[in-house]
Structures are given as C-alpha cells and as structure tokens.
Amino acid sequence: MKKIVFCLVALSLALPITSFAEETLSTTEDSKVESSSASTQDTEKNDEKIVESSSSSTVDSSSSETSNTIENLYGDLISTTLVVFQGEKVTAEMLYQDGGFHGAAFRDLKLLDEAPTDKLGKNLVKVSFMLYPWEEDQGKKQEVILNMAYTVVKTAPTYNIQFISYDSDNKHVKGKVSSVDGVAASNVHIYGDNTANYDSAPANITGFYPFVDLNNPVSTDTEGYFTLSYQVNYSFFAFNSETNDYSPVYTLNDKTFAGASATTDTSTPAESTQSSSEKKEEKKKGLFPNTGEKKTVYFSIAGIAIILLAILFLFIKSKKNKE
C-alpha cells in the first residue's frame, strides 16, 4: 500500500515538470520560428531594396539614354502646316521653310522619296535631317529619319464667301459660305489672322495656312452662316479638311462691304433684306432732296402762268377796244 501511495505522489510531481518542459520547448520553438520569420522578412526587405535600387538605376540609365538619343523626341512622324496644290512639286526647301515658321530647324533636310501630290488630303514623305548638339563637347551630330505630313488641296477654290451684313454697334461681320454651285457649306471652319503688319496680303491658302491659328477656328452653322469680330485688315478663308475644299482669302476693309447692307441687327436674313429695301427707299427719296427746291419750282410755274394769263387778258381787251 505504501508503495502504491509513493508511486502516485511521484507521478503527480513528475506531471508539472513534464508540462513545464513541454511549454519551454514550445516557447523555444516559437521563438525560433519568429526569429526565422523575422530573419526572412529582413532578407526580403533587403532584396526589395536591392531590386528597387536596381530598377531605379535602370530607370535613370534609360532616361539618360533617352536624353542622349535625341531622335526619340520626334517619334516617327512630324505633321507640318505645308499646303500645296494638287500636282505641285514638294521640295525639301518647302518643308524646311515651314519648320522655320514654327521655330524648328531641320538642318540638312533631304527627301528620301518622291513626295506625292496626286491624292488630296494628308500625304507623307520620308525625309532625313541632322541634329547638332548645343555645344561641341556635348556629343556628335545625329541623323534623324522619319515621315513628314503635308496637305494637298484642289488647284482652284471651291467655296465662295458672301458678306451679309455688318453690325456697327457690336462690330460683328456676318457672312455666308457656299459652294461654287450655290449650295450652303455647313460646319466649315473659318481661319484667319490680322495681316496689317504683313508685307502684302496673302494671295491664297498655300501662303497663308502656316500663319493662322488652327486651334480656334470659327465654324459655319447648318445654313452656312458665320459671324466674325470686325478687325481692319483681318484676312481669312474657309477650309474643309475632310473634303479639302477651300475659299479665296478675303480681307476686311471698307471695300469688303460694297455689296453688303449695313444694319444694327443681324439676327435673321429677313431683317437684312428689310434693311436693303429701306435703303432703296432712301435712295429714291434722295432724288428729291427736301431743301426748298420743290417750292421754288412751284412758285416759278405759278408766276409764269399768271404772267401768261395777264398777257392774254390784255390782248383780248385791246382787241375789243379796236372793234
């Protein structure tokens, strides 16, 4: 019996020790796992830093290469404002001058292919030009090869512009764009610029297109009407980039309104027609100015009539006395 009791006591004392040992081992293993995971996380962070540093150096390297490779700034295409007539020959000098109008210097420009002008609209030609460094120690000159775009239009204008009226109060000009056949040209853009400082007025669209503001055109409505702010020596033309139809170049001045009626309200064409009829009436009235001339004529006629009647009366009376 004593042996049994002794065994039970010894067993009860051994259980807490075993439990403590298991907890110690568990805690040790957990700490090892945590330490291992922390070590792994630190390693991953270091690897990420290395990757970021590597990618950063790669980006810096690529940006440095891009800055050194100047032709990447142009891409594969340069759109110019050169406009030529159908069948006209495009030369390297034309493209060079067009670039100069916009501050671009395409030095040693050459055409690598023949520039086509038989098709209306946008056309492309392959060219080459040289890019020189700003300073000699910044690198060598580089050759750039790409396409340049230009526009081909019809050989003669296909739009006409009619001046409808002039609003003297608001300084607005109303006009209408129509085809040579008289059909109203809807949704057509009006481009222009003040040519007061030009050496001479632009002759046609080919010489004027590079200098106009292409970002803020005035558009015609569905009936072809448009309104412009009046400026002396403001030149403009109508152009449809989809059909390549265009008008002659017109310049606003006193001669422009020779056939247009002057009115203070240009809301509808009917009102301008009414104004025209009123002007005709004024012209008719102008044939007989109210300055007293009518009364003088009437008095003269009446005086002559009285004199004639007096002479006739005296003649009849003298004849009676003789009898």
Side-chain angles (χ1 to χ4, degrees):
M1 185 66 181
K2 289 181 180 180
K3 291 181 178 181
I4 295 173
V5 172
F6 177 77
C7 290
L8 291 174
V9 171
L11 183 61
S12 64
L13 293 173
L15 286 175
I17 296 173
T18 304
S19 176
F20 175 77
E22 290 177 354
E23 289 178 0
T24 304
L25 290 173
S26 176
T27 304
T28 303
E29 290 177 357
D30 290 340
S31 63
K32 288 182 179 180
V33 171
E34 290 177 359
S35 175
S36 175
S37 94
S39 162
T40 303
Q41 289 178 358
D42 293 338
T43 303
E44 290 177 355
K45 288 182 179 179
N46 291 332
D47 292 340
E48 289 177 359
K49 289 181 179 179
I50 293 172
V51 171
E52 289 177 357
S53 175
S54 175
S55 64
S56 176
S57 63
T58 303
V59 170
D60 294 340
S61 175
S62 63
S63 63
S64 175
E65 290 178 0
T66 302
S67 63
N68 292 332
T69 308
I70 305 175
E71 61 265 23
N72 289 340
L73 299 176
Y74 289 98
D76 298 328
L77 176 66
I78 294 179
S79 295
T80 70
T81 56
L82 178 65
V83 176
V84 296
F85 295 121
Q86 192 172 22
E88 184 181 1
K89 184 178 180 180
V90 175
T91 64
E93 182 67 19
M94 290 179 176
L95 294 169
Y96 177 80
Q97 287 182 352
D98 184 83
F101 295 150
H102 306 288
F106 303 123
R107 299 175 64 179
D108 303 329
L109 180 67
K110 298 178 182 178
L111 299 183
L112 301 182
D113 296 324
E114 185 177 355
T117 58
D118 54 339
K119 184 184 71 173
L120 296 174
K122 292 290 184 182
N123 285 263
L124 302 178
V125 61
K126 183 172 287 187
V127 302
S128 69
F129 57 90
M130 302 302 295
L131 288 178
Y132 290 80
W134 290 104
E135 297 179 3
E136 294 182 357
D137 58 349
Q138 289 184 349
K140 298 181 180 180
K141 64 180 181 180
Q142 299 183 21
E143 183 182 22
V144 178
I145 298 177
L146 43 71
N147 291 320
M148 281 190 172
Y150 55 94
T151 303
V152 178
V153 296
K154 300 175 181 178
T155 55
T158 49
Y159 285 149
N160 290 324
I161 294 181
Q162 177 187 3
F163 291 94
I164 303 301
S165 59
Y166 170 55
D167 187 345
S168 58
D169 292 339
N170 297 316
K171 301 294 183 182
H172 286 165
V173 178
K174 186 172 185 178
K176 182 178 182 181
V177 179
S178 58
S179 66
V180 292
D181 300 329
V183 180
S186 60
N187 300 320
V188 173
H189 289 166
I190 307 294
Y191 301 98
D193 187 34
N194 195 304
T195 56
N197 296 326
Y198 283 39
D199 294 335
S200 60
N204 51 49
I205 186 176
T206 60
F208 194 28
Y209 191 80
F211 303 103
V212 300
D213 185 2
L214 300 176
N215 297 321
N216 297 301
V218 174
S219 299
T220 62
D221 59 17
T222 55
E223 296 180 352
Y225 291 99
F226 66 91
T227 302
L228 291 176
S229 297
Y230 179 76
Q231 299 180 35
V232 179
N233 295 320
Y234 183 83
S235 299
F236 63 97
F237 60 90
F239 178 59
N240 189 332
S241 59
E242 296 180 358
T243 63
N244 300 290
D245 293 310
Y246 64 96
S247 74
V249 176
Y250 297 84
T251 302
L252 296 179
N253 49 41
D254 294 338
K255 296 180 180 179
T256 302
F257 306 102
S261 59
T263 178
T264 57
D265 189 0
T266 60
S267 57
T268 61
E271 291 177 353
S272 62
T273 304
Q274 181 180 0
S275 176
S276 299
S277 63
E278 290 176 358
K279 289 186 69 178
K280 290 180 180 179
E281 291 180 0
E282 289 178 0
K283 288 182 178 179
K284 291 180 179 179
K285 292 179 180 179
L287 295 175
F288 300 96
N290 189 15
T291 58
E293 294 177 4
K294 289 183 181 180
K295 293 182 179 180
T296 303
V297 172
Y298 293 153
F299 287 142
S300 299
I301 294 174
I304 293 171
I306 292 172
I307 292 172
L308 291 176
L309 289 175
I311 293 173
L312 181 61
F313 176 76
L314 293 174
F315 177 77
I316 295 173
K317 187 176 180 181
S318 62
K319 189 176 182 181
K320 288 182 178 180
N321 293 334
K322 287 181 181 180
E323 293 177 353

